Amino acid sequence: MKRVLLLICMICTVVMMMAQVGVEARIDSIQMLIGQQVHVTVTATAPANAKVVFPSYKSREQLVDGIEVLLIGEEHKEDIDNGQQQFSRVYTLTSFDGKLYYLPPFKVKVNGKEYQSKSLALKVMEVDVDTTKMNQFFGPKDVQDNPFLWSDWSLVFWLSVLMLLLLCVAIYLYIRLRDNKPLIKSFKLVKRLLPHQKAMKEIEQIKADKMVSSENQKEYYTKLTDTLRRYIEERYKFSAMEMTSSEIIERLTRDGDQKSLDELRQLFMTADLVKFAKYSTLINENDMNLVNAIEFINQTKQELQVVEEEKPQLSEADQRSMKTRRYLKWLIGSIGVVCLVLLGFVVYRLMILTGVM
């Protein structure tokens, strides 16, 4: 008896489970114009966590002869009562042949068992054409160009004009710069006076000014000793102009002739007395000191001739010309950079307007 009851319970359970599974197909419109689209929603009701497999079609695959499947939507799930779930998927269909179509049932597998929906019908209607008015029907149009709009091209046009004007200005400035002869910085070779030559020239000037017999003995000895100091500084390469007389003699003692140094020491001593102690000398004493200065220069002079390159100073007109040339070069370079930027922008806009980009 128990075995019979168990068998009856199992049969009832299977029957109840089979009764809980259902497949339904709904179409949003039973008729459409040729080339339009309709949507068929396939819904499967099954226990929760059931494995549901909907029918699958490739793109443009024909469901029946004349009906194409364009698109298959994503699968959706929705919980309902009694532990059941509703599974759904949308199929997009189209047709290009006008007639009444029979859509076969959609087959859905639930847990490996196949269930199917009811069949559907779809009527594809053609567009009525009045063949008595053929002159009102026109064939396909050729590819049309977009209409010309000045607002689209005005910026490119004016920037191109500006670029051409700047190029003309740059060319004009270049011609002016080219025609303006560059400054030639000339150099000439001149003989530089040797230290003893400079000193003798200054002594000749002292003689010419008759300062030996002048009452202003301080000025005479100042110029005479300054001449000797400059000579010693250039000849022996030490700062004699900043040294005292005794320091100069002490420095020269290392290499100089003692006799000439004694005479030079006497000359510096007399000059210091005249400049700082208001000492008065006789004319013959002044002559002797001048002769001693000349003798010291002749005994210590060097005859090596030195030639140096002397750079003449530019005149104010040449300096203005040099500044003008620098300004023109800077201006031409700046215009060139601006023209390159404008050219790049114009080319970019043209590519956009012509559809290249």
Side-chain angles (χ1 to χ4, degrees):
M1 185 67 179
K2 291 183 178 180
R3 293 180 179 179
V4 173
L5 291 174
L6 182 60
L7 180 61
I8 292 172
C9 290
M10 292 178 62
I11 293 173
C12 291
T13 303
V14 172
V15 171
M16 290 179 62
M17 290 181 64
M18 291 178 62
Q20 290 176 348
V21 177
V23 176
E24 181 184 1
R26 299 188 308 273
I27 188 168
D28 58 358
S29 177
I30 61 174
Q31 63 181 13
M32 70 174 188
L33 290 175
I34 188 171
Q36 289 185 338
Q37 299 175 4
V38 294
H39 301 89
V40 176
T41 302
V42 179
T43 304
T45 303
N49 300 322
K51 184 177 181 181
V52 179
V53 180
F54 286 92
S56 178
Y57 304 95
K58 296 180 181 179
S59 179
R60 313 299 297 189
E61 182 178 349
Q62 290 193 351
L63 183 63
V64 294
D65 188 19
I67 299 294
E68 296 180 3
V69 179
L70 292 180
L71 182 66
I72 300 177
E74 296 292 332
E75 181 180 325
H76 295 279
K77 295 181 181 180
E78 183 180 356
D79 292 331
I80 57 178
D81 297 335
N82 301 323
Q84 297 268 97
Q85 283 187 330
Q86 191 175 70
F87 303 82
S88 62
R89 177 166 283 181
V90 178
Y91 297 82
T92 303
L93 311 178
T94 188
S95 177
F96 298 95
D97 189 10
K99 67 177 184 178
L100 179 62
Y101 292 95
Y102 166 76
L103 302 182
F106 288 85
K107 298 178 181 180
V108 180
K109 289 185 178 181
V110 179
N111 291 327
K113 186 174 181 180
E114 188 175 86
Y115 299 85
Q116 62 182 20
S117 68
K118 294 181 179 180
S119 60
L120 301 173
L122 175 62
K123 184 178 181 181
V124 180
M125 300 180 297
E126 296 180 347
V127 179
D128 294 333
V129 178
D130 189 357
T131 57
T132 62
K133 299 178 180 179
M134 295 300 294
N135 58 341
Q136 296 182 3
F137 295 91
F138 304 95
K141 300 292 185 181
D142 293 334
V143 176
Q144 301 293 318
D145 293 331
N146 291 328
F148 176 81
L149 296 177
W150 171 248
S151 59
D152 294 337
W153 294 85
S154 59
L155 180 61
V156 174
F157 174 77
W158 290 117
L159 287 179
S160 300
V161 172
L162 176 61
M163 182 176 61
L164 291 176
L165 291 176
L166 289 176
L167 285 175
C168 292
V169 172
I171 293 172
Y172 167 76
L173 294 176
Y174 173 76
I175 294 175
R176 181 178 175 185
L177 181 65
R178 183 190 62 186
D179 293 342
N180 184 15
K181 295 181 180 180
L183 298 175
I184 300 176
K185 299 178 181 179
S186 58
F187 298 88
K188 60 180 180 179
L189 295 177
V190 296
K191 284 185 178 182
R192 187 183 66 179
L193 293 177
L194 295 173
H196 71 276
Q197 293 173 335
K198 292 180 182 179
M200 293 303 296
K201 188 175 181 179
E202 293 178 8
I203 289 176
E204 292 297 328
Q205 186 63 41
I206 292 174
K207 288 182 180 180
D209 294 339
K210 298 181 180 179
M211 299 186 68
V212 177
S213 58
S214 173
E215 295 181 358
N216 193 349
Q217 295 180 354
K218 183 177 181 179
E219 181 182 5
Y220 164 68
Y221 278 102
T222 298
K223 288 191 175 182
L224 182 61
T225 53
D226 285 348
T227 298
L228 287 172
R229 286 172 182 272
R230 283 190 290 271
Y231 166 73
I232 293 170
E233 186 170 300
E234 294 185 20
R235 167 65 177 78
Y236 293 99
K237 308 301 181 184
F238 64 86
S239 302
M241 294 295 294
E242 301 175 2
M243 300 170 67
T244 63
S245 300
S246 58
E247 289 174 343
I248 293 173
I249 297 300
E250 182 180 356
R251 182 68 180 270
L252 291 174
T253 303
R254 303 172 188 174
D255 304 318
D257 179 24
Q258 190 61 40
K259 181 179 179 182
S260 62
L261 289 179
D262 289 341
E263 295 172 351
L264 184 64
R265 184 182 295 108
Q266 183 64 36
L267 189 155
F268 276 126
M269 185 182 299
T270 303
D272 290 340
L273 290 173
V274 172
K275 289 188 290 184
F276 304 113
K278 297 183 180 180
Y279 175 74
S280 297
T281 58
L282 300 176
I283 295 178
N284 59 349
E285 190 175 1
N286 295 340
D287 289 334
M288 181 186 67
N289 286 328
L290 184 64
V291 171
N292 290 338
I294 295 172
E295 286 295 327
F296 173 76
I297 293 171
N298 289 331
Q299 290 175 8
T300 58
K301 66 182 179 180
Q302 288 181 330
E303 294 293 346
L304 180 62
Q305 183 67 45
V306 179
V307 178
E308 71 173 6
E309 189 177 50
E310 185 175 287
K311 179 182 178 181
Q313 296 291 330
L314 294 175
S315 64
E316 292 184 2
D318 290 338
Q319 292 178 358
R320 287 196 299 270
S321 178
M322 183 179 295
K323 290 181 180 179
T324 302
R325 291 177 63 83
R326 283 200 299 264
Y327 174 74
L328 289 177
K329 290 179 180 178
W330 175 85
L331 189 57
I332 292 172
S334 300
I335 292 175
V337 173
V338 173
C339 287
L340 287 176
V341 173
L342 289 177
L343 178 62
F345 182 76
V346 168
V347 171
Y348 171 73
R349 288 292 301 170
L350 286 174
M351 293 175 67
I352 292 178
L353 292 173
T354 55
V356 176
M357 293 185 63

